[in-house]
Amino acid sequence: MDEDAATSSDRSHAAPPDVECAVCVGVKRRAQQACLECVASYCETHLDLHNTLHAWKRHKLVEPGCLQERICPEHDKPLQVFCRTDQLCVCHLCLAIKHKGHEVVAIKKEVAEKNIKLVKMYQQASERIQRREKEEEDLNEAVVVFKASAEEAMERSEGAFAELMLSMEGRRRAVTELIRAKEEAVVKEARELVERARQEIDDLKRRAADLERLQTLSHTNDDICFLTKAHAVSQPAKGLQIPALLTQPNSSFRLVTAAVSGLAQKVDFICQQRFIKISKTVKDAGIVSSPLPTTWEEFLRHASKLTIDPNTVHDKLHLSKAMELTAVHEQEPYPSHTARFVRRQQALCREVLCGAPCYWEVECGAGGSWLCVAVSYKGIPRNGRMAPLFGRCPRSWALRKRGTVYEFWHDNKSTVITSSFRCSRVGVYLDHRAGVLAFYNVTANMSLIHKVRTRFTEPVYAGFGLAGIGAKIKLCL
């Protein structure tokens, strides 16, 4: 035997960690494949013989290393069924004993469904990575802008305080310390969020790689290995909850600057009043806003008492003393007023909404065609052909309710909210400074209907719109 033949022969012999051929006598050769029906592994020669003998039976062949994993350890039968109740692959004999009455499906079907879920999870992971990378970028940018704003505020404060009397020196130091302390605290918080976001991105990338490998594995015949590994990564990853960023972090200290400039022009008593305002403004400055409330009790902490301004109410809307608006057929005898909505059946509240978060609720009647709950700038047109519905212009944001169909409108663009839930009371949460507007179904345990991140450039007012005789809406808080 020449050297090449000897080498070839040696390679065909089984050696650890190879699987031996079950048929070979004497020196065992390395198994090439295993038969699930025969529960045996075969070398190349005996595999050809096996295939010839069982050609008409179409036995299923697999890699020899996974044979034992595909055989039921109790009944020595192929694993052909997946028990969803116990999340195990079992044989048909198991169904009549330990898994009787359980929810079972064919392994191929379970693999296909699992693969669909994994594809969706991979897509979600990829989308989350993109969101986190964008949030990381926004956080870093916000830190730079916030630091620049803080530096600018301190420089202007120094210039204004330099003109004051010596008795103001103590207050100057206090303002500087407040700004510096707030800057350090907020920047530290933001950097911690950046680091946590980076860690989550790394984890998600690793998870996405695992999911991608599983997708590749799902296209092989190694179903048992696939299901075993798929179960290990099937649990959803916990995402980092990053609070909403301020839409204009560079403006955080503008009120501080204005207040400090005023100190130089006033007497010591006025300076003391301004100093209190400075302290509060610095305390409110930041990059990220507080997390949104989650329970009804938490929302009520931000409850705002609103009243509908009768001078804005359209004459086809009846306003009761209980702050209830109803669409009517006959015109109401309201006096003429420049603030009144003439073209659209709409109304605004009196109260200015800006600064601290606020919350209010409205009871929605079942009559009419539709109604909407909105926030709007004061300057929205109210007369003439160009006067828009709430949400149909850049100056307003509106949730329109038509039975169980909901739409969110802004800048004449709509977002259809697919849902079948019924809602008789809508809660509205507004964080003007952070640019957060959210609508909740109060009657369904504060479930979120729709949330939007935007940028408010001026104060807003709560507004309402009704269409169809009998449409009704009522302020509840």
Side-chain angles (χ1 to χ4, degrees):
M1 182 182 295
D2 59 24
E3 184 177 351
D4 291 341
T7 302
S8 176
S9 177
D10 292 340
R11 288 175 181 173
S12 67
H13 293 166
D18 296 334
V19 177
E20 296 179 346
C21 175
V23 182
C24 287
V25 178
V27 178
K28 297 286 187 178
R29 282 178 288 185
R30 184 173 66 248
Q32 299 296 323
Q33 285 189 304
C35 176
L36 287 179
E37 303 297 328
C38 301
V39 194
S41 300
Y42 301 103
C43 64
E44 185 176 357
T45 300
H46 291 116
L47 179 62
D48 291 339
L49 178 61
H50 167 274
N51 292 340
T52 301
L53 294 174
H54 302 284
W56 62 277
K57 294 182 180 179
R58 296 184 181 180
H59 285 190
K60 184 173 182 181
L61 301 178
V62 296
E63 294 296 325
C66 296
L67 179 60
Q68 292 305 315
E69 297 178 5
R70 297 171 179 271
I71 302 301
C72 176
E74 294 188 25
H75 306 108
D76 204 28
K77 297 292 183 180
L79 301 174
Q80 296 177 326
V81 184
F82 185 77
C83 176
R84 287 179 171 173
T85 304
D86 295 330
Q87 291 292 299
L88 291 173
C89 293
V90 298
C91 70
H92 285 293
L93 290 179
C94 292
L95 297 181
I97 306 175
K98 291 185 178 181
H99 300 271
K100 186 177 181 180
H102 290 189
E103 181 185 2
V104 295
V105 295
I107 286 180
K108 284 292 185 182
K109 181 178 180 181
E110 184 68 15
V111 168
E113 293 183 7
K114 275 283 198 303
N115 191 46
I116 292 173
K117 292 179 180 179
L118 288 172
V119 170
K120 185 177 181 181
M121 290 172 62
Y122 176 78
Q123 293 173 345
Q124 292 174 342
S126 300
E127 293 172 359
R128 188 180 294 176
I129 289 172
Q130 294 178 356
R131 290 197 301 269
R132 289 294 179 261
E133 289 177 340
K134 180 61 169 62
E135 289 168 352
E136 178 188 4
E137 180 182 346
D138 292 343
L139 277 170
N140 286 323
E141 182 179 350
V143 168
V144 173
V145 175
F146 186 86
K147 288 175 66 66
S149 177
E151 292 295 332
E152 180 183 3
M154 286 187 290
E155 290 176 3
R156 294 190 179 185
S157 297
E158 290 285 348
F161 276 115
E163 300 177 3
L164 297 177
M165 299 171 55
L166 186 61
S167 61
M168 296 297 295
E169 180 63 18
R171 294 190 179 94
R172 181 198 66 80
R173 288 195 299 269
V175 169
T176 301
E177 290 172 0
L178 282 172
I179 296 175
R180 181 65 70 188
K182 185 61 178 181
E183 177 198 4
E184 292 175 355
V186 171
V187 171
K188 180 181 178 181
E189 178 188 9
R191 284 176 173 168
E192 289 175 352
L193 286 173
V194 169
E195 183 61 28
R196 289 168 60 192
R198 287 175 179 170
Q199 293 176 1
E200 182 176 353
I201 290 171
D202 292 339
D203 292 341
L204 288 170
K205 287 182 177 179
R206 286 193 294 271
R207 184 177 178 85
D210 292 340
L211 293 171
E212 189 173 14
R213 285 193 291 272
L214 276 175
Q215 290 181 64
T216 302
L217 184 59
S218 70
H219 297 302
T220 67
N221 289 328
D222 201 352
D223 296 337
I224 303 302
C225 293
F226 169 79
L227 290 175
T228 302
K229 295 181 180 181
H231 180 67
V233 298
S234 63
Q235 299 300 322
K238 294 182 178 179
L240 171 64
Q241 296 296 326
I242 295 184
L245 301 180
L246 295 183
T247 55
Q248 295 178 305
N250 63 329
S251 65
S252 297
F253 289 94
R254 287 181 181 175
L255 293 177
V256 180
T257 302
V260 173
S261 299
L263 286 175
Q265 305 173 16
K266 301 186 181 294
V267 297
D268 188 66
F269 174 78
I270 298 178
C271 289
Q272 180 62 33
Q273 301 303 312
R274 291 286 182 174
F275 181 74
I276 296 173
K277 184 177 181 180
I278 293 169
S279 301
K280 183 180 183 303
T281 307
V282 173
K283 183 179 179 180
D284 293 339
I287 293 176
V288 297
S289 65
S290 302
L292 269 65
T294 56
T295 65
W296 188 64
E297 290 74 17
E298 291 177 354
F299 279 101
L300 288 183
R301 296 173 189 170
H302 305 285
S304 301
K305 180 65 176 178
L306 301 183
T307 55
I308 298 173
D309 185 354
N311 292 327
T312 67
V313 179
H314 187 274
D315 59 13
K316 286 293 186 71
L317 299 178
H318 172 73
L319 175 63
S320 71
K321 292 182 179 180
M323 291 293 112
E324 182 178 74
L325 283 173
T326 305
V328 294
H329 179 71
E330 299 293 336
Q331 290 185 344
E332 294 289 310
Y334 297 133
S336 177
H337 199 283
T338 56
R340 191 172 309 285
F341 285 93
V342 176
R343 179 171 175 78
R344 305 294 185 180
Q345 293 182 196
Q346 301 180 152
L348 285 176
C349 289
R350 288 192 180 97
E351 292 72 21
V352 178
L353 303 177
C354 63
C358 49
Y359 174 77
W360 64 97
E361 294 178 359
V362 292
E363 192 76 29
C364 304
S369 301
W370 56 261
L371 53 84
C372 77
V373 182
V375 296
S376 173
Y377 294 151
K378 188 175 183 179
I380 185 172
R382 312 183 190 199
N383 197 357
R385 296 181 58 185
M386 301 303 293
L389 290 166
F390 287 136
R392 304 298 289 270
C393 67
R395 299 180 180 182
S396 60
W397 297 255
L399 178 73
R400 184 177 299 180
K401 179 180 182 296
R402 190 195 310 269
T404 59
V405 178
Y406 296 80
E407 293 178 312
F408 178 78
W409 284 85
H410 173 62
D411 199 11
N412 206 27
K413 298 176 183 178
S414 68
T415 300
V416 178
I417 304 166
T418 304
S419 177
S420 59
F421 59 79
R422 294 189 176 275
C423 177
S424 60
R425 181 176 291 201
V426 174
V428 186
Y429 177 81
L430 171 71
D431 190 338
H432 185 276
R433 192 166 62 94
V436 175
L437 175 64
F439 301 89
Y440 295 86
N441 185 349
V442 181
T443 53
N445 198 26
M446 302 305 296
S447 60
L448 180 66
I449 300 175
H450 188 69
K451 181 179 71 173
V452 63
R453 287 288 313 280
T454 188
R455 176 176 296 180
F456 298 112
T457 58
E458 58 184 271
V460 297
Y461 296 78
F464 311 102
L466 299 93
I469 305 301
K472 186 177 298 184
I473 201 165
K474 179 182 178 181
L475 276 169
C476 302
L477 296 181

